[in-house]
Structures are given as C-alpha cells and as structure tokens.
Amino acid sequence: MTVAELTEDVVRVELPDGTLVERHALALRDGCPCAECRHPVSGQRLFESSRVLPNARIAGVAVSEEGRLVVDWADGHRSSFAAEWFDPDEERLLQPWDASLEGALPWHAWADVVAEPSARAAWLRDAARLGFSLLHGVPVEEGEVETVAALFGAVRETNYGRHFDVSVSVDARNLADTALPLSPHTDNPYREPTPTLQLLHCLVSDVDGGDTVLVDGFAVVERLRHRSPELLGLLARRPIRFAYRDESAELWTDVPVVTLDAAARPLALHLNNRSKGVPQGDPGDVAAWYEAYLALLGLVESPEQQVVFKLAPGDLVLFDNLRVLHGRTGFASTGARRLQGCYADRDGLLSTLAVLERG
Ligand code: OGA
Ligand code: ZN
Ligand code: ZN
C-alpha cells in the first residue's frame, strides 16, 4: 500500500497491485481488526457498532513501513489494516458448464474420500465449483447416504424422514415413484428454507433407462439473460406459489423461479413442474410471465445444456439443489430401480472444504 489520503471521511489507498480503493471512516472503524476489537480466533466483533460508530472521527492516516494503513482515531484508538483487508469479496469459484462436461464428469472414489483428507477436499471442491460431484464405490447399504452426508455436514431431516426412498410403487402418489420421466427440477421448492444440497445414492438399477439428467441452472439463467434480460427480470420479480400436501403435511411458499442477487447474478432456482402453482393476477402480466417461463424451460430441456449418465449400484450424486437441476429419463416399470436420498446444506459443505484447505 502506498498512498493514504484523507478527504472528509473517506480514506483512499493504493493497493500493491496498483488498484485505488476508497473506504469510509465508518467502515474502517467498524472493521478494525485489532485484538481489542475482534476476537483473534473467531474474528467476532468485541464492541457494539451502535456505541462506537456515532463518535468515530479520523484524526490522521499514514502508511506504515510494512505497508499497512494506519488510522488514528480522535478518541485515541489506533487501527492498522493489511492490504488483504481491502480485498473485494472473494471471487465465487463457480464454474458454469453445459453438455460438453459429459466427457469429464467429476467422479471420485468413496474409499479415497473416506480415507484421505485431500481426496475429500477434491470431492467437495467439485461440488462447490460445478454444483455437483459424483462418487462410485459407496457401500450398497440401507441409509448409507446419511453416512456420506456426515462426511461434510449434517443431514437435513424433513417430513420425508432423515432419508427417503425413490422406487417404483404401485400406488405412487409422487411421480418420482413411477417409471415416468422426471423433467429437470429442484427438490422441495415449497419448503422454506429450501434444502441447499441433495444426495442420491443408487442401491438397485436393473432397468433400461432411468438415466440421471443434470443441468447447470445458473448457466441456463445466463443464456436466458443473453437472449432477453426482460424475460429474466420477469421470472426474478414474480413470486410463484409452490405447494405439497399429503396425510401429514401441508407445505407451501411463494418464491420467484429465479432469485438474483443485488448484482443480478443468479443465487437460486426454484423450478419444479410437479409442485408449481399458477401465477395470479392481470392476464397480460401472466402471459408475459409464461413467455419467460417457457423460454427458461426450453433452455433447461435443450440437450446442449444437459449431462446424462446412468447411476449404477454404489454410485452417489451430490448436488446443489438451488443451482443444479436434476431429473431422470423414463424406464420400463418391469425390473427394479431404487435410490435413497437425503438433504443437507451448503454452508456445512463449504465450511468443511475451507477447513480442509487451510494451510
Ligand atoms: C425425485 C427425483 C431422481 C431419480 O424423486 O425428485 O429427482 O433419478 N428422483 O429418480
Ligand atoms: Zn481496534
Ligand atoms: Zn428430485
């Protein structure tokens, strides 16, 4: 860091790479990293912003010999900031993909992932980057899917239990338990908050078809934006009712099909033909919404966006349920096919990955 200039309440510095950044006095005082202000291990703030900030006035700024920004405050407190403090938000490590990924699917070996921290990190890094990651060689045992989730976090229990079965049943109430195809979707959009991760473990696959289909929903959002920012905006603005009911549950929530962040980057998709309600209100607005929705579905169903592969017994797919849409092709109802699934959450996965990657 070289220049340190103070204009009113704004400090301007030049970072080692030449970038000029400006920070307001309030953000600097609030972000003071000294041991009096922040817990050295957890980084938790040790003072109340509401008490300290109203009186925060800068008395002077300088750059130390070690290249740190030193701020002296009117009340005598001194803050010292390393250049890293000014780093903009860490780049998201998301890597968009389409059908061309099919030749390079992120397969990992269960035995290695269990035995070696570096292999576990590689498996989780693929899930963070691509939104999904695959295992082969998982023991073909009841409930094993929960043991795999426990390698990085906590199982998210729902009204379907800690884990659930997907298998053909005669009196299926859920399309999933028939031999029909399932169009690419996110699970449980009617749940608030929606589970951010899902695991599906194949126990039996003795049918023709029943292939797994995955689509990078964020890549699809970018394609829709490229085609028409207006259509994307319609999907992002209008909440849609998603609902599910059975003998013991009534679940519903109102959420847009696409959630964008403040910079209009995709944060989440809620897309499920089975549980989607219909938009209410002005027919003209509804027609415009359907144009956008059908354009999105057209992209989701396009072979160019889909990777298709078959899970064999012992295979397990872990995916980000707000980013990656999953579905399956249809199959003959004779023969057996059985998957077990469970939900989990992304924060636990990212935490486990970050701890594995320390040092
Ligand atoms: C589901 C589902 C996948 C499959 O039940 O929601 O996505 O391969 N099943 O059967
Ligand atoms: Zn301090
Ligand atoms: Zn599903």
PDB file of all heavy atoms in Angstrom, residues 260-281:
ATOM      1  N   LEU A 260     -32.143 -13.521  -8.001  1.00  0.00           N
ATOM      2  CA  LEU A 260     -30.884 -12.855  -8.373  1.00  0.00           C
ATOM      3  C   LEU A 260     -30.379 -12.047  -7.180  1.00  0.00           C
ATOM      4  O   LEU A 260     -31.172 -11.597  -6.355  1.00  0.00           O
ATOM      5  CB  LEU A 260     -31.125 -11.905  -9.561  1.00  0.00           C
ATOM      6  CG  LEU A 260     -31.701 -12.525 -10.838  1.00  0.00           C
ATOM      7  CD1 LEU A 260     -31.995 -11.432 -11.868  1.00  0.00           C
ATOM      8  CD2 LEU A 260     -30.734 -13.552 -11.425  1.00  0.00           C
ATOM      9  N   ASP A 261     -29.054 -11.854  -7.104  1.00  0.00           N
ATOM     10  CA  ASP A 261     -28.523 -11.012  -6.036  1.00  0.00           C
ATOM     11  C   ASP A 261     -28.521  -9.547  -6.482  1.00  0.00           C
ATOM     12  O   ASP A 261     -28.994  -9.222  -7.578  1.00  0.00           O
ATOM     13  CB  ASP A 261     -27.137 -11.501  -5.575  1.00  0.00           C
ATOM     14  CG  ASP A 261     -26.035 -11.268  -6.602  1.00  0.00           C
ATOM     15  OD1 ASP A 261     -26.273 -10.564  -7.618  1.00  0.00           O
ATOM     16  OD2 ASP A 261     -24.926 -11.790  -6.384  1.00  0.00           O
ATOM     17  N   ALA A 262     -27.976  -8.668  -5.646  1.00  0.00           N
ATOM     18  CA  ALA A 262     -28.031  -7.232  -5.931  1.00  0.00           C
ATOM     19  C   ALA A 262     -27.285  -6.885  -7.221  1.00  0.00           C
ATOM     20  O   ALA A 262     -27.576  -5.883  -7.865  1.00  0.00           O
ATOM     21  CB  ALA A 262     -27.457  -6.449  -4.753  1.00  0.00           C
ATOM     22  N   ALA A 263     -26.318  -7.740  -7.599  1.00  0.00           N
ATOM     23  CA  ALA A 263     -25.585  -7.509  -8.844  1.00  0.00           C
ATOM     24  C   ALA A 263     -26.197  -8.298 -10.005  1.00  0.00           C
ATOM     25  O   ALA A 263     -25.575  -8.431 -11.055  1.00  0.00           O
ATOM     26  CB  ALA A 263     -24.116  -7.896  -8.658  1.00  0.00           C
ATOM     27  N   ALA A 264     -27.409  -8.836  -9.793  1.00  0.00           N
ATOM     28  CA  ALA A 264     -28.161  -9.589 -10.802  1.00  0.00           C
ATOM     29  C   ALA A 264     -27.532 -10.934 -11.158  1.00  0.00           C
ATOM     30  O   ALA A 264     -27.862 -11.543 -12.169  1.00  0.00           O
ATOM     31  CB  ALA A 264     -28.408  -8.759 -12.071  1.00  0.00           C
ATOM     32  N   ARG A 265     -26.618 -11.428 -10.302  1.00  0.00           N
ATOM     33  CA  ARG A 265     -26.091 -12.786 -10.509  1.00  0.00           C
ATOM     34  C   ARG A 265     -27.079 -13.789  -9.920  1.00  0.00           C
ATOM     35  O   ARG A 265     -27.729 -13.509  -8.911  1.00  0.00           O
ATOM     36  CB  ARG A 265     -24.741 -12.954  -9.806  1.00  0.00           C
ATOM     37  CG  ARG A 265     -23.627 -12.138 -10.425  1.00  0.00           C
ATOM     38  CD  ARG A 265     -22.350 -12.298  -9.620  1.00  0.00           C
ATOM     39  NE  ARG A 265     -22.568 -11.914  -8.226  1.00  0.00           N
ATOM     40  CZ  ARG A 265     -21.591 -11.661  -7.357  1.00  0.00           C
ATOM     41  NH1 ARG A 265     -20.342 -11.767  -7.730  1.00  0.00           N
ATOM     42  NH2 ARG A 265     -21.864 -11.309  -6.118  1.00  0.00           N
ATOM     43  N   PRO A 266     -27.191 -14.986 -10.539  1.00  0.00           N
ATOM     44  CA  PRO A 266     -28.149 -15.963 -10.010  1.00  0.00           C
ATOM     45  C   PRO A 266     -27.725 -16.482  -8.638  1.00  0.00           C
ATOM     46  O   PRO A 266     -26.557 -16.811  -8.425  1.00  0.00           O
ATOM     47  CB  PRO A 266     -28.127 -17.088 -11.048  1.00  0.00           C
ATOM     48  CG  PRO A 266     -26.876 -16.909 -11.822  1.00  0.00           C
ATOM     49  CD  PRO A 266     -26.501 -15.466 -11.760  1.00  0.00           C
ATOM     50  N   LEU A 267     -28.686 -16.535  -7.737  1.00  0.00           N
ATOM     51  CA  LEU A 267     -28.465 -17.095  -6.399  1.00  0.00           C
ATOM     52  C   LEU A 267     -29.171 -18.426  -6.251  1.00  0.00           C
ATOM     53  O   LEU A 267     -28.703 -19.294  -5.518  1.00  0.00           O
ATOM     54  CB  LEU A 267     -29.032 -16.157  -5.329  1.00  0.00           C
ATOM     55  CG  LEU A 267     -28.225 -14.957  -4.900  1.00  0.00           C
ATOM     56  CD1 LEU A 267     -28.978 -14.209  -3.811  1.00  0.00           C
ATOM     57  CD2 LEU A 267     -26.854 -15.401  -4.388  1.00  0.00           C
ATOM     58  N   ALA A 268     -30.343 -18.564  -6.876  1.00  0.00           N
ATOM     59  CA  ALA A 268     -31.140 -19.769  -6.658  1.00  0.00           C
ATOM     60  C   ALA A 268     -32.177 -19.936  -7.754  1.00  0.00           C
ATOM     61  O   ALA A 268     -32.684 -18.950  -8.299  1.00  0.00           O
ATOM     62  CB  ALA A 268     -31.853 -19.697  -5.312  1.00  0.00           C
ATOM     63  N   LEU A 269     -32.479 -21.202  -8.059  1.00  0.00           N
ATOM     64  CA  LEU A 269     -33.651 -21.514  -8.876  1.00  0.00           C
ATOM     65  C   LEU A 269     -34.621 -22.325  -8.034  1.00  0.00           C
ATOM     66  O   LEU A 269     -34.201 -23.147  -7.214  1.00  0.00           O
ATOM     67  CB  LEU A 269     -33.268 -22.324 -10.116  1.00  0.00           C
ATOM     68  CG  LEU A 269     -32.714 -21.488 -11.277  1.00  0.00           C
ATOM     69  CD1 LEU A 269     -31.222 -21.343 -11.164  1.00  0.00           C
ATOM     70  CD2 LEU A 269     -33.074 -22.117 -12.606  1.00  0.00           C
ATOM     71  N   HIS A 270     -35.900 -22.064  -8.218  1.00  0.00           N
ATOM     72  CA  HIS A 270     -36.955 -22.901  -7.652  1.00  0.00           C
ATOM     73  C   HIS A 270     -37.800 -23.319  -8.844  1.00  0.00           C
ATOM     74  O   HIS A 270     -38.539 -22.508  -9.400  1.00  0.00           O
ATOM     75  CB  HIS A 270     -37.788 -22.128  -6.633  1.00  0.00           C
ATOM     76  CG  HIS A 270     -37.054 -21.887  -5.347  1.00  0.00           C
ATOM     77  ND1 HIS A 270     -36.144 -20.869  -5.203  1.00  0.00           N
ATOM     78  CD2 HIS A 270     -37.084 -22.543  -4.164  1.00  0.00           C
ATOM     79  CE1 HIS A 270     -35.647 -20.913  -3.969  1.00  0.00           C
ATOM     80  NE2 HIS A 270     -36.201 -21.911  -3.316  1.00  0.00           N
ATOM     81  N   LEU A 271     -37.616 -24.553  -9.272  1.00  0.00           N
ATOM     82  CA  LEU A 271     -38.222 -24.986 -10.526  1.00  0.00           C
ATOM     83  C   LEU A 271     -38.688 -26.420 -10.357  1.00  0.00           C
ATOM     84  O   LEU A 271     -37.872 -27.323 -10.165  1.00  0.00           O
ATOM     85  CB  LEU A 271     -37.154 -24.903 -11.635  1.00  0.00           C
ATOM     86  CG  LEU A 271     -37.645 -25.028 -13.058  1.00  0.00           C
ATOM     87  CD1 LEU A 271     -38.295 -23.718 -13.500  1.00  0.00           C
ATOM     88  CD2 LEU A 271     -36.494 -25.350 -14.000  1.00  0.00           C
ATOM     89  N   ASN A 272     -39.989 -26.615 -10.381  1.00  0.00           N
ATOM     90  CA  ASN A 272     -40.493 -27.976 -10.196  1.00  0.00           C
ATOM     91  C   ASN A 272     -41.896 -28.055 -10.770  1.00  0.00           C
ATOM     92  O   ASN A 272     -42.836 -27.468 -10.234  1.00  0.00           O
ATOM     93  CB  ASN A 272     -40.488 -28.328  -8.702  1.00  0.00           C
ATOM     94  CG  ASN A 272     -40.762 -29.798  -8.475  1.00  0.00           C
ATOM     95  OD1 ASN A 272     -41.726 -30.341  -8.985  1.00  0.00           O
ATOM     96  ND2 ASN A 272     -39.899 -30.438  -7.710  1.00  0.00           N
ATOM     97  N   ASN A 273     -42.005 -28.760 -11.887  1.00  0.00           N
ATOM     98  CA  ASN A 273     -43.283 -28.847 -12.592  1.00  0.00           C
ATOM     99  C   ASN A 273     -44.380 -29.457 -11.720  1.00  0.00           C
ATOM    100  O   ASN A 273     -45.548 -29.101 -11.836  1.00  0.00           O
ATOM    101  CB  ASN A 273     -43.088 -29.680 -13.862  1.00  0.00           C
ATOM    102  CG  ASN A 273     -44.299 -29.646 -14.755  1.00  0.00           C
ATOM    103  OD1 ASN A 273     -44.732 -28.566 -15.149  1.00  0.00           O
ATOM    104  ND2 ASN A 273     -44.866 -30.798 -15.037  1.00  0.00           N
ATOM    105  N   ARG A 274     -43.973 -30.387 -10.820  1.00  0.00           N
ATOM    106  CA  ARG A 274     -44.967 -31.112 -10.028  1.00  0.00           C
ATOM    107  C   ARG A 274     -45.631 -30.224  -8.984  1.00  0.00           C
ATOM    108  O   ARG A 274     -46.816 -30.344  -8.715  1.00  0.00           O
ATOM    109  CB  ARG A 274     -44.302 -32.310  -9.327  1.00  0.00           C
ATOM    110  CG  ARG A 274     -44.000 -33.457 -10.265  1.00  0.00           C
ATOM    111  CD  ARG A 274     -43.131 -34.503  -9.579  1.00  0.00           C
ATOM    112  NE  ARG A 274     -41.712 -34.180  -9.655  1.00  0.00           N
ATOM    113  CZ  ARG A 274     -40.769 -34.774  -8.933  1.00  0.00           C
ATOM    114  NH1 ARG A 274     -41.087 -35.696  -8.048  1.00  0.00           N
ATOM    115  NH2 ARG A 274     -39.499 -34.448  -9.084  1.00  0.00           N
ATOM    116  N   SER A 275     -44.877 -29.332  -8.375  1.00  0.00           N
ATOM    117  CA  SER A 275     -45.419 -28.590  -7.230  1.00  0.00           C
ATOM    118  C   SER A 275     -45.649 -27.114  -7.517  1.00  0.00           C
ATOM    119  O   SER A 275     -46.055 -26.372  -6.618  1.00  0.00           O
ATOM    120  CB  SER A 275     -44.489 -28.743  -6.027  1.00  0.00           C
ATOM    121  OG  SER A 275     -43.183 -28.328  -6.365  1.00  0.00           O
ATOM    122  N   LYS A 276     -45.418 -26.693  -8.761  1.00  0.00           N
ATOM    123  CA  LYS A 276     -45.604 -25.282  -9.102  1.00  0.00           C
ATOM    124  C   LYS A 276     -47.086 -24.927  -9.173  1.00  0.00           C
ATOM    125  O   LYS A 276     -47.874 -25.634  -9.785  1.00  0.00           O
ATOM    126  CB  LYS A 276     -44.965 -25.000 -10.461  1.00  0.00           C
ATOM    127  CG  LYS A 276     -44.992 -23.550 -10.881  1.00  0.00           C
ATOM    128  CD  LYS A 276     -44.453 -23.398 -12.293  1.00  0.00           C
ATOM    129  CE  LYS A 276     -45.508 -22.972 -13.291  1.00  0.00           C
ATOM    130  NZ  LYS A 276     -46.616 -23.857 -13.538  1.00  0.00           N
ATOM    131  N   GLY A 277     -47.462 -23.809  -8.555  1.00  0.00           N
ATOM    132  CA  GLY A 277     -48.802 -23.272  -8.714  1.00  0.00           C
ATOM    133  C   GLY A 277     -48.877 -22.447  -9.982  1.00  0.00           C
ATOM    134  O   GLY A 277     -47.987 -22.511 -10.835  1.00  0.00           O
ATOM    135  N   VAL A 278     -49.956 -21.683 -10.125  1.00  0.00           N
ATOM    136  CA  VAL A 278     -50.062 -20.833 -11.312  1.00  0.00           C
ATOM    137  C   VAL A 278     -50.085 -19.372 -10.887  1.00  0.00           C
ATOM    138  O   VAL A 278     -50.632 -19.031  -9.842  1.00  0.00           O
ATOM    139  CB  VAL A 278     -51.306 -21.167 -12.162  1.00  0.00           C
ATOM    140  CG1 VAL A 278     -51.202 -22.579 -12.720  1.00  0.00           C
ATOM    141  CG2 VAL A 278     -52.578 -21.004 -11.365  1.00  0.00           C
ATOM    142  N   PRO A 279     -49.462 -18.506 -11.693  1.00  0.00           N
ATOM    143  CA  PRO A 279     -49.444 -17.090 -11.338  1.00  0.00           C
ATOM    144  C   PRO A 279     -50.849 -16.509 -11.361  1.00  0.00           C
ATOM    145  O   PRO A 279     -51.666 -16.886 -12.216  1.00  0.00           O
ATOM    146  CB  PRO A 279     -48.549 -16.461 -12.405  1.00  0.00           C
ATOM    147  CG  PRO A 279     -48.474 -17.448 -13.511  1.00  0.00           C
ATOM    148  CD  PRO A 279     -48.741 -18.793 -12.933  1.00  0.00           C
ATOM    149  N   GLN A 280     -51.124 -15.625 -10.435  1.00  0.00           N
ATOM    150  CA  GLN A 280     -52.438 -14.992 -10.331  1.00  0.00           C
ATOM    151  C   GLN A 280     -52.329 -13.557 -10.850  1.00  0.00           C
ATOM    152  O   GLN A 280     -51.243 -13.027 -10.970  1.00  0.00           O
ATOM    153  CB  GLN A 280     -52.888 -14.945  -8.862  1.00  0.00           C
ATOM    154  CG  GLN A 280     -52.845 -16.287  -8.152  1.00  0.00           C
ATOM    155  CD  GLN A 280     -53.929 -17.224  -8.628  1.00  0.00           C
ATOM    156  OE1 GLN A 280     -54.984 -16.788  -9.099  1.00  0.00           O
ATOM    157  NE2 GLN A 280     -53.677 -18.522  -8.532  1.00  0.00           N
ATOM    158  N   GLY A 281     -53.481 -12.956 -11.104  1.00  0.00           N
ATOM    159  CA  GLY A 281     -53.467 -11.522 -11.401  1.00  0.00           C
ATOM    160  C   GLY A 281     -53.729 -11.204 -12.849  1.00  0.00           C
ATOM    161  O   GLY A 281     -54.265 -12.027 -13.608  1.00  0.00           O
TER     162      GLY A 281
END
